[in-house]
Structure formats: C-alpha cells, structure tokens
Amino acid sequence: MEMEKLVSLCKRRGFLFQSSEIYGGINGFWDYGPLGVELKRNIKAAWWKDMVTAHDELEAANGAPSTHEMTGLDCTIIMHPQVWKCSGHFDLFCDLMVDCKETNKRYRFDQVRGRWAAAKGKRIFVTTVAEIDEEEAELTRRAMKAFKLRAKDADQLTWDGEAVSLDTLDDTSEVLAPDAKEVGTLTDPREFNLMFKTIVGAMGTEEDASFLRPETAQGIFVNFKNVVDSTRVKIPFGIAQIGKSFRNEITPRNFTFRSREFEQMEIEFFCHPDTSADWYKYWRDRRFAWYQELGLAGQRLQLRDHEPDELSHYSTGTADIEYAFPFLPAGEYGELEGIAHRGDFDLRSHMEGKLDPNSCPLEVERNEKGKPKYKGSGRDLTYRDPVSNEKFTPHVIEPSAGADRATLAFLCEAYTEDEQPDEKGEMQSRVVMKFHPRIAPIKAAVFPLVKKDGMPEIAKDIYRALKKEFPAFYDEGGAVGRRYRRQDEVGTPYCITVDGETLTNQTVTIRDRDTLEQWRVKIDDVVEEISGRVS
Ligand code: GAP
C-alpha cells in the first residue's frame, strides 16, 4: 500500500487533519476528524476494557501467573518539577541535534545519513534525512554542485561505500548538510531536552518553570501509595492510565507516527520481586496477543526482545511490539509499544532521589558535596504484604503503548483495494477499510433502496434504534452500489437495506463488508444481530 493513498483517504473521509491547517499547519501536531475520533476512542476503549475492567475474564486463558487486580488513574499533565528531576527526564531525556548555519534547519544527529562522494581529489560526505535510495538522483545533483562539476563531467564523480549515519563519522569530516549547497555548515551535535517547558502562575520566573509530561507513567508512580491506601488493591496489581503526552521531537515525521503531542496507554504493574520475571513474560505475550486479536494478525506485526546488552542493569527484560509501517523501508519495523521490566527503579527514585540508571547496584547520584543530586519525596513507597507481613519495594512491569501509533497501524492494516461485481455484474474497483468490527468508527449503515413507498421511514426507524447502541449512519442518496462503496471506504462492517420485500415480510438485508455475503433478518432483530457482531 502506498502511504499517500492512506493519507489522502484520511483527509478526504475525515479521519485525520493537519492541526491548524488553514494557517499552514504546525509540524508534529494532528487533529482527529469525525471518523478518526471514533476509531481512536474505540481503540482506547478496547484497551481499557481488555486490560482493566474485564481483564480477569481473560487472565486464566492468557496464562497469567496468578489472579491480579487492575485499576485506573487520570493524572495531570503538569506535575511538580521535582518529578522530572527524580525520574531522570530533566537530565537525560535528550536527543542530540545538529543545526545547519546555511539553511537554519535542525536535524536529529542520528537521522542524518549519507554517503561519501569523491571528485577533483576531494571527498565530501553528502547527507539527507530521507531514504538514500529514493534520494540518489538528488544527492548526485547536490554533490555535483558542491564539487562545481558540470553535467558533462558527471563521470568524474564517484561514490564510496554504503550509506551510514552522520553520528558514525569523526568530527573532521567534510559534510554537505541535508538541504545545504555549501560544505561544512553543520554545527557540532548538541543535547536538546525533549520536554516542553511552561511557566506556572503569574510571576513568570524560571523558578515557576514546569514541564508538560513526556509520559503518563510518572503520574502513576507518584500516586502508588495513594492507590494502595485508598483502595483494597493488593500486590500483584496494575494501574492503567490513558492520556496526552508531549515531546518536542526534533524531527516529527511519518504522519502521526512521531508527533509532538500524542496519547499514551500505559500500565504500571506492581509485583513482588520474586515473581516479576513471570509477570514480565505474561505482559509481553498478552500485549502482543491484544494487537493480533484486533486485527494486526499478519507478518507485519512482530515482537522483538531487546538484546541483553541493550538492557538497563535493573531490567531483566524489555521487548518492543513493532509494526512494518508502509512508510518504512522494506524489512524495517516501527515501535508500537514497549514492555519493560523496570525493577524497583522508579519507586526508589521517588523515595530517595534521582538514581543513576547506569550504576550497579543502584546508587543515588550525588553532587560534589556527596549529597543526593535531587532529593526524592522522602515518602515511604514500599509495600507491606497483608498476609506475610513482608515489607518490600515492588518491582514494576510497564507495558507502554501509543494510542496514535496503534490507530495508525490499524489504519494501515485496514487499507485494502479489491474488485467486486456491481449490481449489473460489472467489476468495480473499491477501497475498503477492513477494520475489526470492535474498532470500526461506524458499526452499521442503513439505506432505503428507493426514496418512496415508505422505505425511508422504515430505514430511519432502524437507524434510530441502532444509534442508541453505537454509531450508525443513514444514507438515501444515489445508487445503492455507490452507497455500499462509500461505507466500504470508511470501514463500516454492516450495511442494512430496506427493499420491496421489507414491505411484505418485515425483513431487511444485511451485507457483510468483507465477504459481501447478504442475508435477511427481521426488522425487530436487527439491533441484536449487529450488536452481537460488533462487540
Ligand atoms: N513510559 C515509557 C515510555 O514512555 P516510550 O517508548 O518512550 O516509553 C511509549 O513511549 C510509547 O509511546 C511508544 O511505544 C509509542 O507508541 C508512543 N510514543 C512515544 N513517542 C511518541 C511520539 N513522538 N509520537 C507518537 N507516539 C509516541
């Protein structure tokens, strides 16, 4: 599937719009349109139901090590600045970036890639942030210009070696920046903190600076004790949260994949250190199965365990659930969700102060006077088991998903083009969004075959009855085949048609979007029939 086709459908049919589009848009921000908002709400609702409210119906079948409880939270986006110091985000949540002095553009250091070009006894490293293969002609054109070669001298230019990332080169290399004409215009790489800063209160001083949260997880950690004290949850239990997070990404790109404002669906699962390895395995497999259950069933979805040398010392495992998004080069996957074994790192950081994630065993990072660099809350965030009376700092398993990345993956997976015969038996090409019925934005559409003989009135009654249960759509405009195709394109799983036979035996036809199978159902049974299929 070509990504342009999906992007155009998303705009045309109201799934996604560029934010502030009438003012030229703002990079890294996206609005969900009337259908997009339903799709994303359905994905978040499916996650909440399957992970939180109905998780116990599924846990045994899914191999959970024991029964467990799940509960939720909805925390603020702006939190006490100390949260971000103790979590490590204040010091460590950085990307390296380089600026171009010629074009004033900024790039993520690791995303600038290029190849060595040689001519006239000189070598320069010619770069791009796009795919090197697709840019080949453009790279050649720019290299020729940089070497001041005329078209007839093109054979003097030679390319050397495979494409590599700029961050693998030494700093004496002669680099042609991605959009520059002159060589040597890139600055040295500098650290850039990805948190959005804001000022709280009217005084407007640096003292009042705080940050928009870059993850929802910290709200859960700092409320761990509140949840234990205010509810009857016992370890093992999980706290779930869905909410907006913000990262000032240097190069937002690939549609909504890397945005500056996005939504996360995160669980922090608290358990005894002795059982944490089993719980890690459970969540890793459970989360992978969840995407499969909702339709990401093919080869494009994969579970990738991090190599042991990629893990922090406190972690016994981290895995990513990845999807082969069509905008990525063949064979490459993009992260949908990470499942991390975080040990007791986060609770200890909020008790004791910022811990150094690279030291082993865990140590409080200290300033030159030997004092902890950032003071923790000083609160006791340990847990006392009510049965054994054992006191311990729980270990945490964190399945952390992106609601927007999941939505994008479901959109990509759903997009299908096929050919189907129309009413006259002639083959017509159609675009069909094959969403799983649970996440489809509109569950059913109702059509009167013609706008007369009382058919619209019957169809509207059915539509009103359906609308009480889930989003439905009424359409009486144009040939019925065209109405079907309009619904196929937005992924409506069932279309209900009121026709001549309805007037004599009170039945309607229901058509299945994917199989095109049609069957008749009594008007009084339509709501039950569709409800059973979409829940
Ligand atoms: N609390 C752990 C955490 O935040 P992460 O891997 O940085 O981990 C988790 O983020 C998920 O959030 C990612 O797997 C992705 O789905 C989503 N996400 C992260 N950055 C994003 C961005 N800039 N745009 C869209 N989604 C993003």
Side-chain angles (χ1 to χ4, degrees):
M1 188 258 295
E2 293 145 44
M3 201 56 204
E4 295 72 43
K5 288 187 178 171
L6 180 68
V7 173
S8 135
L9 183 144
C10 282
K11 168 142 201 233
R12 187 160 36 83
R13 299 305 310 264
F15 283 96
L16 277 158
F17 306 127
Q18 205 186 1
S19 168
S20 326
E21 196 196 60
I22 60 167
Y23 290 104
I26 169 165
N27 202 4
F29 297 88
W30 296 91
D31 294 336
Y32 285 80
L35 290 181
V37 68
E38 293 293 344
L39 174 66
K40 190 171 160 193
R41 275 165 55 99
N42 291 343
I43 292 166
K44 291 186 288 183
W47 183 87
W48 193 268
K49 184 168 180 215
D50 297 348
M51 298 302 123
V52 184
T53 48
H55 80 281
D56 42 352
E57 286 179 23
L58 303 161
E59 70 190 5
N62 287 308
S66 71
T67 55
H68 56 283
E69 294 176 74
M70 294 294 296
T71 184
L73 269 179
D74 184 11
C75 306
T76 59
I77 285 168
I78 295 177
M79 300 172 70
H80 193 292
Q82 200 68 10
V83 169
W84 307 113
K85 293 187 174 159
C86 290
S87 70
H89 287 85
F90 188 76
D91 287 326
L92 301 172
F93 196 55
C94 300
D95 273 344
L96 283 178
M97 49 133 201
V98 284
D99 289 306
C100 175
K101 287 177 267 184
E102 181 187 317
T103 61
N104 291 329
K105 290 195 178 174
R106 175 167 287 180
Y107 310 96
R108 231 171 80 177
F109 192 34
D110 61 339
Q111 284 177 350
V112 180
R113 289 168 62 73
R115 285 183 70 195
W116 285 103
K120 298 180 171 176
K122 251 181 80 181
R123 273 174 103 222
I124 61 170
F125 188 67
V126 187
T127 65
T128 173
V129 281
E131 288 315 317
I132 300 268
D133 294 347
E134 286 166 23
E135 286 279 286
E136 222 171 84
E138 179 60 11
L139 288 184
T140 304
R141 189 190 65 76
R142 291 179 44 228
M144 299 262 300
K145 255 193 145 161
F147 283 116
K148 299 194 172 45
L149 288 173
R150 280 179 292 185
K152 68 179 175 54
D153 302 321
D155 57 350
Q156 289 187 30
L157 181 79
T158 56
W159 291 98
D160 182 9
E162 294 297 302
V164 289
S165 171
L166 181 60
D167 59 7
T168 61
L169 266 53
D170 67 43
D171 51 12
T172 59
S173 308
E174 294 254 51
V175 177
L176 182 65
D179 302 284
K181 295 192 185 88
E182 301 291 326
V183 172
T185 59
L186 282 182
T187 60
D188 288 339
R190 280 189 288 145
E191 278 192 342
F192 175 76
N193 193 297
L194 299 186
M195 285 196 293
F196 280 99
K197 201 176 191 180
T198 187
I199 300 290
V200 178
M203 298 310 284
T205 67
E206 261 309 292
E207 253 70 312
D208 304 317
S210 195
F211 302 93
L212 306 192
R213 67 180 176 202
E215 60 171 26
T216 61
Q218 296 305 322
I220 300 180
F221 293 125
V222 301
N223 275 296
F224 167 73
K225 206 68 179 172
N226 282 337
V227 173
V228 172
D229 292 346
S230 62
T231 65
R232 295 167 64 90
V233 285
K234 292 186 202 66
I235 274 179
F237 75 89
I239 305 178
Q241 174 163 219
I242 299 179
K244 290 259 178 152
S245 292
F246 301 80
R247 297 183 189 179
N248 200 359
E249 300 282 358
I250 298 169
T251 39
R253 59 174 164 169
N254 290 333
F255 209 11
T256 58
F257 181 82
R258 189 174 303 287
S259 309
R260 288 177 164 144
E261 174 174 342
F262 55 96
E263 242 174 318
Q264 290 186 308
M265 308 187 288
E266 298 202 288
I267 295 170
E268 304 303 326
F269 191 81
F270 300 91
C271 56
H272 191 281
D274 292 349
T275 58
S276 61
D278 295 339
W279 280 111
Y280 166 68
K281 190 171 176 327
Y282 166 72
W283 279 111
R284 167 188 173 277
D285 297 346
R286 177 71 198 101
R287 291 300 307 143
F288 186 60
W290 185 80
Y291 290 99
Q292 292 177 313
E293 285 157 19
L294 282 179
L296 298 191
Q299 298 293 313
R300 303 184 78 87
L301 188 74
Q302 74 169 18
L303 182 64
R304 186 181 69 81
D305 288 306
H306 284 205
E307 297 297 328
D309 63 356
E310 284 180 81
L311 299 177
S312 328
H313 73 274
Y314 55 80
S315 176
T316 54
T318 297
D320 286 342
I321 298 173
E322 301 178 328
Y323 184 74
F325 286 97
F327 47 76
L328 297 173
E332 280 191 23
Y333 288 75
E335 179 186 321
L336 282 182
E337 167 161 355
I339 300 100
H341 184 303
R342 298 188 58 87
D344 63 3
F345 178 76
D346 305 274
L347 289 178
R348 284 194 54 194
S349 298
H350 287 301
M351 277 193 281
E352 299 169 15
K354 182 173 163 274
L355 304 174
D356 177 358
N358 300 314
S359 67
C360 184
L362 279 181
E363 278 171 5
V364 177
E365 198 182 315
R366 294 181 189 279
N367 64 16
E368 24 338 311
K369 292 187 184 139
K371 296 252 164 59
K373 188 164 178 200
Y374 298 122
K375 277 210 292 206
S377 65
R379 297 288 179 88
D380 179 5
L381 303 182
T382 58
Y383 175 82
R384 187 176 290 284
D385 188 285
V387 179
S388 68
N389 212 26
E390 184 191 356
K391 194 172 182 235
F392 60 92
T393 309
H395 275 200
V396 170
I397 312 302
E398 179 190 68
S400 171
D404 306 87
R405 286 207 189 157
T407 305
L408 185 58
F410 286 118
L411 278 164
C412 293
E413 186 79 6
Y415 187 96
T416 316
E417 290 175 1
D418 66 14
E419 288 212 328
Q420 298 296 340
D422 64 11
E423 306 91 88
K424 296 179 200 134
E426 284 168 20
M427 294 308 274
Q428 299 283 347
S429 62
R430 69 167 185 162
V431 171
V432 51
M433 294 299 282
K434 292 192 174 176
F435 294 122
H436 188 290
R438 265 184 92 187
I439 61 169
I442 301 171
K443 307 297 183 195
V446 192
F447 314 145
L449 186 63
V450 289
K451 275 194 268 184
K452 56 182 185 182
D453 303 333
M455 289 186 207
E457 288 73 17
I458 299 171
K460 277 184 192 158
D461 282 347
I462 297 172
Y463 163 65
R464 282 190 207 103
L466 288 168
K467 234 171 39 140
K468 288 185 191 148
E469 306 298 321
F470 39 69
F473 192 79
Y474 175 80
D475 188 3
E476 57 179 30
V480 76
R482 284 193 42 210
R483 283 181 263 168
Y484 281 144
R485 279 193 292 283
R486 284 204 288 264
Q487 291 306 311
D488 291 342
E489 205 184 34
V490 296
T492 307
Y494 301 104
C495 290
I496 297 148
T497 305
V498 172
D499 55 17
E501 216 180 307
T502 312
L503 308 178
T504 57
N505 65 7
Q506 282 75 53
T507 63
V508 291
T509 60
I510 299 183
R511 166 198 184 260
D512 181 294
R513 174 197 70 200
D514 300 340
T515 62
L516 302 181
E517 191 195 337
Q518 299 203 12
W519 64 100
R520 294 200 81 87
V521 168
K522 282 212 159 339
I523 290 176
D524 291 345
D525 297 338
V526 169
V527 174
E528 203 184 325
E529 171 88 13
I530 303 288
S531 297
R533 288 168 180 267
V534 300
S535 58

